[in-house]
Every structure is written in C-alpha cells, then in structure tokens.
Amino acid sequence: MYPAPDALLRRWLAERLDSGLLRRLRCTSPVTSSACFTQEGRQRISFASNDYLGLSHHPVLVEALREGAAIWGVGAGSSALVGGYTEAHAALEADLAEFLGFAAARVFTSGYAANLAVITAFSHEAPTAIFADKRVHASLVDAMQLARSAGARVRRYPHGDHSVLSRWLEESQEPVKLVVTDGVFSMDGDIAPLEELSQLARTHGAWLIVDDAHGFGVLGPEGRGSFADAGMTPQPHWLWVITFGKAAGTTGAAILGTEDAMLWLDQAARTHIYTTAMPPALAHTVRIALRLVREESARRARLGALIRRWRQGMTRVPGIEVACSNEAPSRNRTNPPCLPFSRTPIQPLVLGSPEQVLAIEQNLAQNGFFVPAIRPPTVPRGRARLRLSLCADHDETMLESLLETLRRIFVRIPSLVPPRRAHDE
C-alpha cells in the first residue's frame, strides 16, 4: 500500500525544521512607515523593507491610487495583447523610456514575470547560450531553467569573474548570446561592473540583460539606476529590468530596450502574453511614483547618510570584520562574522550557520527590532546572514539603538548562539 500523499510533505517539513531552514509567514498589522513592523500587537523597528525611499506610504501615492481606481476601476480585465492595455499603461511606458533614456519599455505585473520573459523570449527561436553571474536573483535562475528546457545552453560564471565569462563568450558558437547579471546583487548589496560587462557583450555580439531591481530609484542621478551610477547611457544591446516594488514604493516591473526588442516581447514573452495586465490604476500610480523618485532627491541623500553612518557604527561592534572596498574580507580568521562592502541599502551581516542567525534574529526581536535571517538555499551554506535593508524612513536614533543592541549581543555571543552542526560546514 502506498503512503498517504502528504506523508512526504510532513517528512520534508520535519527535515527543514530540524536543520533550521523552515520558513514561516509573518502576518503584520497596518503601519504608516516602512521603518515599523507590527505583529500581534507589538511594534518593532523594521530593517526588512525594500521600500528604500519610503514612498509606499507617501500621501501623494495613496491619493494617486484612489484617483486611478476612480478612473479605471481596480483591474485590467484581460491580458495586454487582448484588451487590457490602456492609455495608463502606454503613458507609463513612455514616461519610463524618457526618464531612463531608452527607446521603449514594456510593463509587467512583477519583476519575476519580467525576468522570466526577458530570458525565455529567445530560446525557442534560435540556438541560445546564456552566461549568468552565479549570484543572480532566483527569478533569473528559474528563467534559465525554462530556457534550458527549450534547448538553451546555460553557464554560470563565478561571481564577478569576467575572465571566465570572456573565455566562454569567445568559445560560444550560438547565434544568440545573453550575458545576465543583477545590477545590485540582492543578498550582498554589491554592484555589478556594468561598463566591463557591456563591453564584453558588445564585443561578442551578445545581449546584456540586467536586473536592476535594487539599483533603480537608489543609484545614479535622479535615481536612474546602476547604469547611470556608472556614468553610462543605454545601448542598443541592453535589455534592462526594473521593478516598482522597491524604491518606487508600489508593485510591478518593466523591461526597457529598443523598439524592436519591445515588439519582440509582444510576440514571445509568455508572462506578458498569457496573464492579466497590470491594473491600470496601478500604472497611473507608478507614473506619480516616478515623478517622486526624480524630484525628491533629499530621500536618496538621507538614505546615503544612513548607509555611511551604519557602516561606521559597525566598526564598534566586537568581532565583526567591516570590509572597506569591493575586495572580499580578509581570510585571516576562520569564518569571521563580517559586513561585506556595500554602498547600497542592502547591508548583509554574514554570520555562518542558520542557528547563529536565528538566535540573533530572535534576540533582536526581543529588543524591539525586526531584522530577517536569510538562510540556505537562498544563500550558500556557511553564508547565512542577517540582511538589513535601510530606508529613508529610518532615523539616526533607530540606527544607533540597533548598533548598541548588536554590540551587546556580540559581546556575549558564545552564550547566545548554539553550537554549529556538521551540516552547516
């Protein structure tokens, strides 16, 4: 007799729980700031939000969503190519192209959908080779799995190792080549060397596909993103993905490129063709968010000051190696707790084992903070971390209080953290 269908599920869940890797939803109550986290009646200071500019509660955006719903209703009604593409979508795409300097844009319901689209749109038409940084976002990893099922060859070069990428591009005989990277890497906060990658892609006749979810709105003049931060202007071989659920404070995403590239997405991007379009009320709201991203530069300045203050303050926390450049932290100690270099709001405190990060997450919660523990498989084994996200809603008092709490924790960390298990090595 076969076991009950859910028997395997129970076993898998028990294994996750035993290894400290079981995820659970946290149900939160309404708040008026992304610096706050309220659960079961208790408010904590949150360092978990990607609402980097603090726009999600901006009264102008709240009113824009009400206004958009009054004009358009609350849903698109059908896919973009059937009847769900409205004047609101067209206006948003025109605004995006003008702001970022691309010829055209297409709006998607999420960054995940956009990444699935941009990677898989080529592999059904011609032999395709995909070369991606080892640390790209999970949505790009899933997209590459789909492309592989259609016959694409997928290779993952070691993080930042462009000598390997150059050699692989030189060897490739496929007529379609994609170089894929994050603009800002979501778990480490480091920024891709886009000028070098763009040159490599152009030299070898490849597309450069960049997921700039965490760069858009934060980096560069007026928040135009990673390419603007590097002093670059859009090129015809670029396909650029941005999302609205982070610095823009809303939700959804867009791909930007040439007009021909966008027309090709209309033919081949399945997550664009076969899903209900973004609600036009939301498209209306994102247009207003773009204006705020451009105009409210004081929010970016404040965020930059908080990042600098945080990194300086972490030098006072005992036992933490604070990297001062893009080079990896020194390896003169065994698995040191470290703060890798990042000048973005993503500030990962790498500790090692799931037990370590869970114990410190819980201790911080008891002291009034919510700082999420990130564990394998999201990050490699031995690289579990607390992933702090700073936002413009934070103030100096919140930051100093967190730093002092961390200092007290790390003074007594041997008594706080359970011993490591063999599977953490």
Side-chain angles (χ1 to χ4, degrees):
M1 184 175 179
Y2 292 104
D6 64 346
L8 276 177
L9 292 180
R10 290 196 297 271
R11 192 185 83 194
W12 295 338
L13 289 169
E15 290 170 353
R16 288 288 180 97
L17 180 63
D18 181 63
S19 60
L21 301 178
L22 187 69
R23 298 182 175 110
R24 295 186 186 276
L25 290 171
R26 297 178 174 94
C27 186
T28 67
S29 303
V31 294
T32 58
S33 165
S34 289
C36 299
F37 178 93
T38 301
Q39 184 181 27
E40 296 177 349
R42 183 177 180 187
Q43 186 172 93
R44 297 184 178 94
I45 299 171
S46 173
F47 289 89
S49 174
N50 293 328
D51 181 21
Y52 298 130
L53 300 183
L55 294 181
S56 66
H57 297 90
H58 198 297
V60 171
L61 289 190
V62 173
E63 182 56 36
L65 187 56
R66 289 195 187 103
E67 181 182 71
I71 297 169
W72 295 102
V74 296
S78 64
S79 66
L81 289 160
V82 170
Y85 185 75
T86 68
E87 294 170 357
H89 297 95
L92 172 57
E93 290 174 352
D95 286 355
L96 286 166
E98 184 275 329
F99 176 32
L100 298 178
F102 286 83
R106 283 294 178 273
V107 172
F108 285 76
T109 54
S110 70
Y112 212 106
N115 279 339
L116 289 179
V118 75
I119 297 297
T120 61
F122 299 95
S123 52
H124 286 281
E125 301 300 319
T128 300
I130 302 173
F131 307 97
D133 190 289
K134 189 69 174 176
R135 296 186 187 173
V136 294
H137 189 263
S139 57
L140 289 167
V141 174
D142 287 354
M144 289 185 285
Q145 295 279 27
L146 285 173
R148 181 184 277 125
S149 72
R153 185 163 66 112
V154 176
R155 305 187 78 175
R156 306 281 301 280
Y157 59 89
H159 182 53
D161 192 339
H162 301 139
S163 61
V164 171
L165 172 62
S166 179
R167 185 173 73 251
W168 287 353
L169 284 166
E170 188 70 37
E171 295 168 355
S172 174
Q173 299 300 310
E174 286 84 357
V176 177
K177 293 182 275 289
L178 313 179
V179 175
V180 182
T181 186
D182 289 3
V184 174
F185 289 89
S186 61
M187 286 297 115
D188 294 285
D190 55 327
I191 303 170
L194 296 175
E195 191 166 3
E196 182 181 355
L197 289 170
S198 181
Q199 180 61 46
L200 275 174
R202 181 168 56 245
T203 298
H204 296 283
W207 293 94
L208 175 64
I209 297 175
V210 178
D211 176 357
D212 206 25
H214 297 275
F216 173 68
V218 173
L219 298 177
E222 297 184 310
R224 292 198 299 273
S226 298
F227 74 86
D229 180 68
M232 304 170 71
T233 55
Q235 302 295 311
H237 67 293
W238 291 5
L239 289 167
W240 215 262
V241 179
I242 62 170
T243 63
F244 310 135
K246 298 174 177 65
T250 57
T251 191
I255 301 173
L256 297 102
T258 65
E259 291 184 0
D260 283 345
M262 298 304 101
L263 184 58
W264 180 247
L265 292 177
D266 292 340
Q267 318 309 311
R270 296 175 69 84
T271 56
H272 172 51
I273 299 168
Y274 299 114
T275 192
T276 301
M278 170 192 284
L282 180 59
H284 175 87
T285 306
V286 175
R287 291 188 71 200
I288 307 303
L290 289 181
R291 192 191 77 204
L292 297 178
V293 166
R294 289 182 88 159
E295 295 178 354
E296 298 201 7
S297 59
R299 292 175 179 267
R300 268 184 300 281
R302 175 176 181 76
L303 183 58
L306 288 168
I307 293 167
R308 292 187 293 273
R309 186 161 185 164
W310 157 256
R311 296 192 65 81
Q312 179 61 36
M314 280 300 294
T315 63
R316 305 194 304 268
V317 177
I320 302 296
E321 184 175 0
V322 180
C324 299
S325 73
N326 275 322
E327 295 180 4
S330 62
R331 300 184 182 278
N332 57 349
R333 289 179 289 168
T334 302
N335 193 34
C338 63
L339 182 69
F341 180 79
S342 168
R343 57 185 179 87
T344 75
I346 300 167
Q347 296 290 320
L349 183 53
V350 180
L351 299 173
S353 75
E355 286 84 358
Q356 286 175 312
V357 295
L358 287 172
I360 296 176
E361 178 194 56
Q362 291 162 10
N363 195 273
L364 286 170
Q366 292 165 6
N367 284 275
F369 299 98
F370 176 45
V371 183
I374 306 297
R375 297 157 286 163
T378 305
V379 294
R381 287 190 179 277
R383 302 289 289 177
R385 65 198 61 192
L386 296 172
R387 181 187 182 274
L388 287 94
S389 292
L390 297 173
C391 71
D393 282 349
H394 290 125
D395 60 33
E396 290 77 6
T397 301
M398 293 173 179
L399 207 58
E400 289 302 324
S401 180
L402 174 64
L403 286 165
E404 175 57 25
T405 302
L406 284 169
R407 190 194 66 78
R408 293 199 306 268
I409 288 173
F410 276 86
V411 164
R412 58 190 180 88
I413 197 167
S415 63
L416 178 70
V417 178
R420 292 165 62 90
R421 300 177 182 179
H423 60 63
D424 296 326
E425 302 297 335

